[in-house]
Amino acid sequence: MNTDPKTPLLSPPSSLTRKNEGRTQKGVLIFVVSIVFLMSLAALVISLHSHNIQPLLSIIQRPLTIEIDLRSLPDSSSLPLQPRGIAEGVSAKSNPYLWQIGSYNWTNAMLSWQRTAFHFQPQKNWMNDPNGPLLYKGWYHLFYQYNPDSALFANITWGHAVSRDLIHWFYLPIAMLRDSWYDINGVWSGSATLLPDGKIVMLYTGSTHQNVQVQNLAYPANLSDPLLIHWVKYADNPLLEPPPGIGPKDFRDPTTAWIGPDGKWRIAIGSKVNQTGLSLVYKTQDFIHYELNDQYMHEVPGTGMWECVDFYPVSVNGSDGLDTSANGPDVKHVLKSSLDDTRGDHYAIGTYFNENDTWVPDNPDEDVGIGLKLDYGRFYASKSFYDQDKKRRVLWGWINESDSETADLKKGWASLQSIPRTVVFDNKTRAHLLQWPVEEIESLRLNSYEFEEVLVKPGSVLPLDIGPATQLDIFVEFEIEYLVSKETEKKENVGCGNGAFDRSSLGPFGILALADDQLSELTPIYFHLSSTTTSLTSSFCVDETRSSKAPDVSKLVFGSEVPVVSDERLSMRILVDHSVIESFAQGGRTVISSRVYPTKAIYEAARLFVFNNATDINIKASLKIWQLNSAFIRPFPFDKKL
């Protein structure tokens, strides 16, 4: 922890060259991996129209101990010492454990299938956090952390893309390179602020030549250019350095600015003191000179480093989004932090006091980092912006790979952005946000299929005859029929259990996505009820554990409780796009993003099923499913007029 009021290392060096960012490690790895093989489901070719039902088997074998041949391991010279990103002073950007597994024999066809059709991702190489989104002169702008040289995290610059509709994208030239002493080790995350006079300021974190995190200013070279292609870094950067008591690597990711009643602008910056995560607030009138507030905006002990802080208002009585500076009696404020320690995006809803720029959660038991998450799966470093044309708040998040770096290098790319989501206050629970895919995604819909009140009995799986199931938009509602008296039904709080094959009286039940006909690979998205009372609570979960036969893939069970109010049916929406699945329960009250890498359930072999693995309930599933077209994501055609 740096407590010197004058942080050293901030004067420009006399000479500067880029250093080699590679890592090496020599050694030999010998290890034993224990794998629990879960064998399921014999022949399940079932006619949906006749509703013939086969039992859902769940045979669990004893763990097998397998010795891995050293020849299957990656070259130890390329094995990272620790997750990429840690040494650079940001969150982990790789999973070294997967190096120990040995690379699966991925074919080019398998790897090609993994690339998404309507999620934003660069043409090639590495991408992580979304940055500085805004709408300007009819174009949506997305900036993103980008390595132009490799599919691994390193050499972070700012990529740039534009869209008319948030779905179809054009790549633009790199917006900012790491070419100055104050950002030579990384152009980290930042945010755009659109000022009332039409000017744009972009504040971002740079990592200096000695890895001190500082705040910098950039602005468009030409405001008459709707594409904002060229950006200028302020000549007297950096503007802010870590204040006394804040470590040199614990000061990053400025928010979009908001203006207070005194006419001064505010920004929040994530940090920590020991293990207390916190948000600093600075005031400015010109975005060049800043004053640090005496109080933190908010702090939560035990949550560790806060990065990618987001702070914005939501209307408690309407569905429109609000400008970042909005406040008043019908407004609540959302404080979100990406926690370095948990790799999750945590949020809370509360009250902002503009007289001293502090924020207090409505429910201290669900404070930032100890309560709700924006997404309970593979989703991080999210960033929102206000769409002034459609009066909505739109949110993006980074969805990382969960395969090995060996596979990423072979396919030549890594990571993607979530489908942009609208964010509104949940007027039913009055304690949650609702996230939902932007309406523009519906422009990709092709053929639709409807299934009404499909009866699925305990221990059953039914196929849904829709053809290939690689690009889908799925809506499902479930009705529950109890087969035993509610008075005699035991109360359960199973949660997600150990996955979809962990049976109880009230679950799980849901959808099997990206499954092959033999169900040797499948990804269940499911509910598991916790109560049979009118104040129903269910867990909403995604089980990746059988999603792929490949061993060099992280396969987890994700989920959380989702409240179900009295007038609601259990419902989910699922977007399937090759290797990414985004799932939304109860109108977006709980959301889970997952990455899956099947070896068999790809192309024409990918199928969709509905299942019920509960023991004491029937379910009736009503579904509407669309096949989705591919979006175009390509370089901007500068030789054409759009």
Side-chain angles (χ1 to χ4, degrees):
M1 188 68 65
N2 178 14
T3 58
D4 190 335
K6 290 188 176 180
T7 304
L9 316 178
L10 291 182
S11 58
S14 57
S15 65
L16 189 63
T17 57
R18 293 188 182 181
K19 64 183 179 181
N20 185 348
E21 294 168 317
R23 299 188 185 91
T24 62
Q25 177 184 14
K26 302 289 185 181
V28 178
L29 295 175
I30 302 176
F31 63 95
V32 175
V33 178
S34 294
I35 302 172
V36 177
F37 284 96
L38 303 177
M39 302 181 60
S40 111
L41 306 180
L44 288 169
V45 181
I46 305 159
S47 169
L48 179 61
H49 301 292
S50 62
H51 292 188
N52 293 330
I53 296 173
Q54 304 278 346
L56 178 64
L57 303 179
S58 183
I59 304 172
I60 301 178
Q61 293 184 339
R62 285 191 295 253
L64 298 178
T65 300
I66 302 175
E67 186 170 342
I68 303 298
D69 190 327
L70 290 176
R71 291 171 297 179
S72 70
L73 296 175
D75 180 0
S76 61
S77 66
S78 61
L79 183 66
L81 293 169
Q82 61 182 349
R84 299 183 192 276
I86 299 299
E88 291 86 347
V90 292
S91 59
K93 300 297 190 294
S94 66
N95 184 354
Y97 164 75
L98 294 176
W99 281 100
Q100 304 173 16
I101 303 299
S103 180
Y104 184 74
N105 186 25
W106 296 102
T107 66
N108 288 334
M110 293 175 186
L111 296 176
S112 295
W113 177 89
Q114 292 174 14
R115 190 168 177 89
T116 62
F118 51 84
H119 283 73
F120 178 81
Q121 55 187 129
Q123 287 178 289
K124 60 181 180 178
N125 298 329
W126 169 274
M127 176 182 66
N128 53 287
D129 308 5
N131 295 141
L134 76 157
L135 173 64
Y136 186 70
K137 293 185 182 295
W139 289 95
Y140 293 101
H141 291 257
L142 175 63
F143 304 87
Y144 50 93
Q145 308 274 278
Y146 180 56
N147 179 1
D149 301 326
S150 169
L152 304 181
F153 173 83
N155 184 28
I156 294 301
T157 63
W158 271 29
H160 186 192
V162 292
S163 173
R164 290 287 195 186
D165 62 1
L166 295 172
I167 301 299
H168 304 280
W169 290 91
F170 293 106
Y171 301 118
L172 292 177
I174 290 175
M176 286 193 284
L177 294 167
R178 53 183 199 99
D179 55 7
S180 303
W181 71 269
Y182 50 80
D183 60 13
I184 194 67
N185 278 320
V187 185
W188 298 149
S189 291
S191 302
T193 301
L194 183 60
L195 302 180
D197 62 3
K199 294 180 180 178
I200 299 170
V201 294
M202 188 76 77
L203 297 174
Y204 73 95
T205 298
S207 182
T208 73
H209 61 295
Q210 292 188 337
N211 290 314
V212 177
Q213 294 174 358
V214 296
Q215 311 312 316
N216 305 303
L217 170 65
Y219 50 88
N222 180 9
L223 282 171
S224 66
D225 174 17
L227 299 181
L228 302 175
I229 292 174
H230 300 291
W231 289 79
V232 177
K233 296 177 183 178
Y234 180 59
D236 290 331
N237 281 336
L239 303 176
L240 293 170
E241 61 186 70
I246 299 299
K249 293 183 180 181
D250 301 331
F251 182 64
R252 57 184 178 268
D253 310 336
T255 64
T256 297
W258 69 97
I259 196 166
D262 58 0
K264 294 181 180 180
W265 292 89
R266 280 91 165 144
I267 61 168
I269 297 176
S271 188
K272 70 173 181 177
V273 173
N274 298 320
Q275 275 302 106
T276 295
L278 57 91
S279 177
L280 305 164
V281 175
Y282 286 84
K283 294 179 185 176
T284 182
Q285 289 183 306
D286 57 8
F287 290 92
I288 296 173
H289 304 93
Y290 293 84
E291 174 189 358
L292 175 61
N293 279 6
D294 293 334
Q295 292 178 278
Y296 302 139
M297 173 186 280
H298 193 58
E299 58 182 312
V300 182
T303 56
M305 178 65 196
W306 287 12
E307 56 181 2
C308 301
V309 169
D310 206 1
F311 182 67
Y312 53 87
V314 289
S315 171
V316 299
N317 291 319
S319 58
D320 285 347
L322 297 175
D323 179 83
T324 307
S325 297
N327 204 353
D330 295 328
V331 172
K332 290 286 185 181
H333 275 77
V334 176
L335 179 59
K336 186 275 309 185
S337 175
S338 302
L339 295 195
D340 201 353
D341 290 354
T342 68
R343 302 287 301 142
D345 271 26
H346 300 251
Y347 80 92
I349 299 171
T351 301
Y352 167 60
F353 299 94
N354 55 28
E355 58 267 25
N356 61 2
D357 297 314
T358 59
W359 175 93
V360 176
D362 288 348
N363 181 358
D365 292 332
E366 293 193 338
D367 207 340
V368 179
I370 60 174
L372 301 171
K373 290 185 180 182
L374 285 176
D375 191 301
Y376 290 86
R378 303 184 188 276
F379 179 94
Y380 195 68
S382 61
K383 178 63 187 170
S384 73
F385 78 102
Y386 177 61
D387 179 347
Q388 65 270 25
D389 283 5
K390 292 197 171 183
K391 293 182 172 56
R392 60 183 177 178
R393 182 154 293 272
V394 178
L395 174 78
W396 269 286
W398 167 44
I399 300 178
N400 65 294
E401 301 298 316
S402 58
D403 61 352
S404 70
E405 290 187 340
T406 302
D408 294 343
L409 288 169
K410 187 173 182 179
K411 65 190 179 188
W413 58 268
S415 301
L416 50 96
Q417 302 295 340
S418 68
I419 287 297
R421 306 170 182 175
T422 58
V423 182
V424 298
F425 181 73
D426 186 346
N427 284 298
K428 291 184 177 179
T429 68
R430 305 193 73 78
H432 299 78
L433 295 177
L434 298 177
Q435 302 170 71
W436 204 243
V438 293
E439 61 185 1
E440 288 88 341
I441 192 70
E442 298 173 12
S443 67
L444 299 179
R445 289 175 176 172
L446 298 171
N447 300 331
S448 64
Y449 306 84
E450 292 193 43
F451 304 89
E452 294 292 336
E453 296 187 344
V454 178
L455 177 64
V456 191
K457 294 183 177 180
S460 300
V461 174
L462 297 176
L464 298 168
D465 186 13
I466 62 167
T470 290
Q471 297 173 206
L472 299 176
D473 189 356
I474 306 165
F475 284 86
V476 194
E477 284 191 343
F478 296 99
E479 293 183 64
I480 311 301
E481 178 187 355
Y482 296 94
L483 302 180
V484 298
S485 168
K486 288 188 179 184
E487 286 70 27
T488 61
E489 182 75 51
K490 59 183 178 183
K491 301 297 184 289
E492 296 180 318
N493 188 11
V494 176
C496 295
N498 293 317
F501 297 88
D502 193 356
R503 302 185 73 180
S504 77
S505 59
L506 299 177
F509 57 88
I511 295 294
L512 302 180
L514 294 177
D516 64 336
D517 283 328
Q518 291 73 39
L519 299 182
S520 65
E521 293 181 327
L522 47 83
T523 302
I525 301 101
Y526 61 94
F527 289 112
H528 206 141
L529 303 184
S530 299
S531 171
T532 58
T533 64
T534 55
S535 58
L536 180 66
T537 296
S538 173
S539 292
F540 181 59
C541 316
V542 175
D543 178 2
E544 298 174 344
T545 59
R546 299 189 183 187
S547 61
S548 174
K549 290 185 173 296
D552 59 337
V553 172
S554 173
K555 289 170 276 192
L556 302 176
V557 177
F558 294 108
S560 176
E561 286 190 351
V562 56
V564 184
V565 300
S566 58
D567 62 340
E568 290 181 337
R569 287 185 178 181
L570 286 168
S571 65
M572 63 174 73
R573 183 182 184 183
I574 305 167
L575 291 176
V576 179
D577 186 9
H578 295 257
S579 61
V580 61
I581 302 174
E582 294 187 66
S583 305
F584 304 78
Q586 302 309 113
R589 194 170 292 147
T590 297
V591 184
I592 304 171
S593 297
S594 50
R595 297 300 304 276
V596 295
Y597 306 87
T599 62
K600 293 185 176 182
I602 58 178
Y603 297 106
E604 301 296 318
R607 295 286 182 265
L608 192 71
F609 298 80
V610 59
F611 79 98
N612 177 12
N613 209 18
T615 60
D616 292 350
I617 57 174
N618 288 335
I619 64 167
K620 288 184 178 179
S622 295
L623 308 95
K624 188 161 188 180
I625 304 166
W626 287 267
Q627 299 276 359
L628 293 182
N629 203 351
S630 299
F632 70 73
I633 305 176
R634 57 178 181 253
F636 192 90
F638 288 102
D639 57 337
K640 297 180 181 179
K641 185 176 181 179
L642 295 180

